[in-house]
Short mmCIF file of all heavy atoms in Angstrom, two decimals:
data_model
loop_
_atom_site.label_atom_id
_atom_site.label_comp_id
_atom_site.label_asym_id
_atom_site.label_seq_id
_atom_site.Cartn_x
_atom_site.Cartn_y
_atom_site.Cartn_z
N PRO A 1 75.86 -17.46 40.22
CA PRO A 1 75.31 -16.74 39.06
C PRO A 1 73.79 -16.85 38.97
O PRO A 1 73.11 -15.87 38.65
CB PRO A 1 76.00 -17.40 37.87
CG PRO A 1 77.31 -17.88 38.42
CD PRO A 1 77.00 -18.33 39.83
N GLU A 2 73.27 -18.02 39.28
CA GLU A 2 71.81 -18.21 39.23
C GLU A 2 71.13 -17.40 40.32
O GLU A 2 70.08 -16.78 40.10
CB GLU A 2 71.46 -19.69 39.38
CG GLU A 2 71.94 -20.58 38.24
CD GLU A 2 73.43 -20.88 38.31
OE1 GLU A 2 74.06 -20.65 39.39
OE2 GLU A 2 73.99 -21.31 37.28
N GLY A 3 71.74 -17.39 41.53
CA GLY A 3 71.17 -16.62 42.62
C GLY A 3 71.20 -15.13 42.32
O GLY A 3 70.26 -14.40 42.65
N ALA A 4 72.27 -14.67 41.67
CA ALA A 4 72.35 -13.26 41.31
C ALA A 4 71.25 -12.89 40.34
O ALA A 4 70.63 -11.82 40.45
CB ALA A 4 73.72 -12.96 40.70
N ALA A 5 70.99 -13.78 39.36
CA ALA A 5 69.92 -13.52 38.41
C ALA A 5 68.57 -13.47 39.11
O ALA A 5 67.71 -12.63 38.80
CB ALA A 5 69.92 -14.59 37.32
N GLN A 6 68.36 -14.37 40.08
CA GLN A 6 67.10 -14.37 40.83
C GLN A 6 66.97 -13.08 41.64
O GLN A 6 65.87 -12.50 41.74
CB GLN A 6 67.06 -15.59 41.75
CG GLN A 6 66.96 -16.91 41.02
CD GLN A 6 67.15 -18.10 41.95
OE1 GLN A 6 67.71 -17.96 43.04
NE2 GLN A 6 66.70 -19.27 41.52
N PHE A 7 68.07 -12.66 42.24
CA PHE A 7 68.04 -11.43 43.03
C PHE A 7 67.66 -10.23 42.16
O PHE A 7 66.78 -9.43 42.52
CB PHE A 7 69.42 -11.19 43.66
CG PHE A 7 69.63 -9.80 44.19
CD1 PHE A 7 68.98 -9.37 45.33
CD2 PHE A 7 70.48 -8.91 43.53
CE1 PHE A 7 69.16 -8.07 45.81
CE2 PHE A 7 70.67 -7.62 44.00
CZ PHE A 7 70.01 -7.20 45.14
N VAL A 8 68.29 -10.11 41.00
CA VAL A 8 68.01 -8.97 40.12
C VAL A 8 66.56 -9.00 39.66
O VAL A 8 65.87 -7.97 39.64
CB VAL A 8 68.97 -8.99 38.91
CG1 VAL A 8 68.48 -8.03 37.83
CG2 VAL A 8 70.38 -8.60 39.34
N ALA A 9 66.06 -10.18 39.30
CA ALA A 9 64.66 -10.28 38.86
C ALA A 9 63.71 -9.87 39.97
O ALA A 9 62.71 -9.17 39.74
CB ALA A 9 64.37 -11.71 38.40
N SER A 10 64.02 -10.29 41.20
CA SER A 10 63.17 -9.94 42.33
C SER A 10 63.19 -8.43 42.59
O SER A 10 62.16 -7.82 42.87
CB SER A 10 63.64 -10.69 43.58
OG SER A 10 62.84 -10.37 44.69
N VAL A 11 64.37 -7.83 42.48
CA VAL A 11 64.50 -6.38 42.67
C VAL A 11 63.67 -5.63 41.64
O VAL A 11 62.93 -4.69 41.97
CB VAL A 11 65.98 -5.96 42.58
CG1 VAL A 11 66.10 -4.44 42.46
CG2 VAL A 11 66.75 -6.45 43.79
N GLU A 12 63.77 -6.05 40.37
CA GLU A 12 63.02 -5.35 39.34
C GLU A 12 61.52 -5.47 39.54
O GLU A 12 60.76 -4.51 39.33
CB GLU A 12 63.43 -5.85 37.95
CG GLU A 12 64.85 -5.46 37.58
CD GLU A 12 65.16 -5.65 36.11
OE1 GLU A 12 65.33 -6.81 35.70
OE2 GLU A 12 65.23 -4.65 35.38
N ASP A 13 61.07 -6.64 39.98
CA ASP A 13 59.64 -6.81 40.29
C ASP A 13 59.22 -5.88 41.42
O ASP A 13 58.16 -5.25 41.37
CB ASP A 13 59.35 -8.26 40.68
CG ASP A 13 59.40 -9.22 39.49
OD1 ASP A 13 59.38 -8.74 38.34
OD2 ASP A 13 59.49 -10.44 39.72
N GLU A 14 60.06 -5.81 42.45
CA GLU A 14 59.74 -4.97 43.61
C GLU A 14 59.69 -3.49 43.22
O GLU A 14 58.78 -2.74 43.62
CB GLU A 14 60.81 -5.18 44.68
CG GLU A 14 60.45 -4.61 46.04
CD GLU A 14 59.50 -5.51 46.82
OE1 GLU A 14 59.58 -6.73 46.68
OE2 GLU A 14 58.66 -4.96 47.56
N MET A 15 60.64 -3.08 42.44
CA MET A 15 60.69 -1.68 42.05
C MET A 15 59.54 -1.31 41.11
O MET A 15 58.96 -0.24 41.22
CB MET A 15 62.03 -1.36 41.39
CG MET A 15 63.19 -1.41 42.36
SD MET A 15 64.71 -0.71 41.66
CE MET A 15 64.99 -1.80 40.30
N ARG A 16 59.22 -2.21 40.20
CA ARG A 16 58.12 -1.93 39.29
C ARG A 16 56.82 -1.78 40.07
O ARG A 16 56.02 -0.88 39.79
CB ARG A 16 57.98 -3.05 38.24
CG ARG A 16 56.97 -2.73 37.14
CD ARG A 16 56.89 -3.86 36.13
NE ARG A 16 58.10 -3.99 35.36
CZ ARG A 16 58.39 -3.28 34.29
NH1 ARG A 16 57.56 -2.34 33.87
NH2 ARG A 16 59.51 -3.48 33.62
N ALA A 17 56.60 -2.67 41.04
CA ALA A 17 55.38 -2.59 41.85
C ALA A 17 55.33 -1.29 42.65
O ALA A 17 54.26 -0.70 42.83
CB ALA A 17 55.29 -3.80 42.78
N PHE A 18 56.48 -0.85 43.14
CA PHE A 18 56.53 0.38 43.95
C PHE A 18 56.41 1.63 43.09
O PHE A 18 55.87 2.66 43.53
CB PHE A 18 57.84 0.42 44.74
CG PHE A 18 57.97 1.61 45.64
CD1 PHE A 18 57.31 1.67 46.86
CD2 PHE A 18 58.76 2.70 45.28
CE1 PHE A 18 57.44 2.77 47.70
CE2 PHE A 18 58.89 3.81 46.10
CZ PHE A 18 58.23 3.84 47.31
N SER A 19 56.89 1.55 41.88
CA SER A 19 57.03 2.77 41.07
C SER A 19 55.70 3.42 40.74
O SER A 19 55.60 4.65 40.71
CB SER A 19 57.79 2.46 39.78
OG SER A 19 57.01 1.66 38.90
N GLN A 20 54.67 2.63 40.48
CA GLN A 20 53.42 3.24 40.05
C GLN A 20 52.72 4.02 41.16
O GLN A 20 52.36 5.19 40.96
CB GLN A 20 52.50 2.20 39.42
CG GLN A 20 53.00 1.73 38.07
CD GLN A 20 51.94 1.02 37.26
OE1 GLN A 20 50.77 1.39 37.26
NE2 GLN A 20 52.34 -0.04 36.58
N PRO A 21 52.51 3.44 42.33
CA PRO A 21 51.90 4.27 43.38
C PRO A 21 52.76 5.46 43.75
O PRO A 21 52.25 6.55 44.01
CB PRO A 21 51.72 3.31 44.56
CG PRO A 21 52.61 2.14 44.28
CD PRO A 21 52.67 2.04 42.79
N TYR A 22 54.08 5.27 43.77
CA TYR A 22 54.97 6.38 44.08
C TYR A 22 54.85 7.48 43.03
O TYR A 22 54.84 8.68 43.34
CB TYR A 22 56.40 5.87 44.18
CG TYR A 22 57.43 6.91 44.60
CD1 TYR A 22 57.09 7.96 45.44
CD2 TYR A 22 58.74 6.82 44.16
CE1 TYR A 22 58.04 8.90 45.83
CE2 TYR A 22 59.70 7.75 44.55
CZ TYR A 22 59.34 8.79 45.38
OH TYR A 22 60.27 9.73 45.77
N ALA A 23 54.75 7.09 41.76
CA ALA A 23 54.62 8.07 40.68
C ALA A 23 53.33 8.87 40.84
O ALA A 23 53.32 10.10 40.68
CB ALA A 23 54.64 7.36 39.33
N HIS A 24 52.24 8.19 41.15
CA HIS A 24 50.96 8.90 41.30
C HIS A 24 50.98 9.82 42.52
O HIS A 24 50.45 10.94 42.47
CB HIS A 24 49.82 7.89 41.40
CG HIS A 24 49.48 7.25 40.09
ND1 HIS A 24 48.80 7.90 39.09
CD2 HIS A 24 49.76 6.00 39.60
CE1 HIS A 24 48.66 7.10 38.05
NE2 HIS A 24 49.23 5.94 38.34
N VAL A 25 51.59 9.37 43.60
CA VAL A 25 51.71 10.23 44.78
C VAL A 25 52.56 11.45 44.45
O VAL A 25 52.22 12.59 44.84
CB VAL A 25 52.32 9.43 45.96
CG1 VAL A 25 52.79 10.39 47.06
CG2 VAL A 25 51.30 8.46 46.52
N SER A 26 53.64 11.26 43.73
CA SER A 26 54.52 12.37 43.38
C SER A 26 53.82 13.35 42.45
O SER A 26 53.97 14.57 42.58
CB SER A 26 55.80 11.84 42.74
OG SER A 26 56.50 11.01 43.63
N TRP A 27 53.07 12.82 41.50
CA TRP A 27 52.30 13.70 40.60
C TRP A 27 51.28 14.51 41.40
O TRP A 27 51.13 15.72 41.20
CB TRP A 27 51.61 12.87 39.51
CG TRP A 27 50.73 13.70 38.62
CD1 TRP A 27 49.39 13.91 38.75
CD2 TRP A 27 51.15 14.44 37.48
NE1 TRP A 27 48.93 14.73 37.75
CE2 TRP A 27 49.99 15.08 36.96
CE3 TRP A 27 52.38 14.65 36.84
CZ2 TRP A 27 50.04 15.91 35.83
CZ3 TRP A 27 52.41 15.46 35.71
CH2 TRP A 27 51.26 16.07 35.22
N LEU A 28 50.57 13.82 42.27
CA LEU A 28 49.58 14.51 43.11
C LEU A 28 50.23 15.62 43.92
O LEU A 28 49.72 16.74 44.00
CB LEU A 28 48.89 13.51 44.03
CG LEU A 28 47.88 14.07 45.03
CD1 LEU A 28 46.67 14.65 44.31
CD2 LEU A 28 47.44 12.99 46.02
N ASN A 29 51.39 15.32 44.52
CA ASN A 29 52.06 16.30 45.35
C ASN A 29 52.55 17.49 44.54
O ASN A 29 52.60 18.61 45.05
CB ASN A 29 53.23 15.63 46.08
CG ASN A 29 53.88 16.53 47.11
OD1 ASN A 29 55.09 16.70 47.12
ND2 ASN A 29 53.09 17.14 47.99
N ALA A 30 52.91 17.27 43.28
CA ALA A 30 53.40 18.36 42.44
C ALA A 30 52.27 19.22 41.87
O ALA A 30 52.47 20.39 41.57
CB ALA A 30 54.24 17.80 41.30
N THR A 31 51.08 18.63 41.73
CA THR A 31 49.98 19.34 41.07
C THR A 31 48.84 19.70 42.02
O THR A 31 47.86 20.31 41.59
CB THR A 31 49.40 18.50 39.91
OG1 THR A 31 48.90 17.25 40.44
CG2 THR A 31 50.45 18.22 38.86
#
């Protein structure tokens, strides 16, 4: 259970870090 919580926290950190540059690239590509 503790490892699962660590995994989820790590995933959310990774996705949050990726989301912003990806969002800006996607906005640029659309506009």
Side-chain angles (χ1 to χ4, degrees):
E2 295 77 15
Q6 292 170 340
F7 165 72
V8 166
S10 180
V11 167
E12 292 194 286
D13 287 345
E14 193 79 33
M15 291 192 298
R16 187 179 292 277
F18 182 78
S19 70
Q20 288 196 39
Y22 184 31
H24 286 286
V25 165
S26 298
W27 176 265
L28 177 66
N29 188 230
T31 60

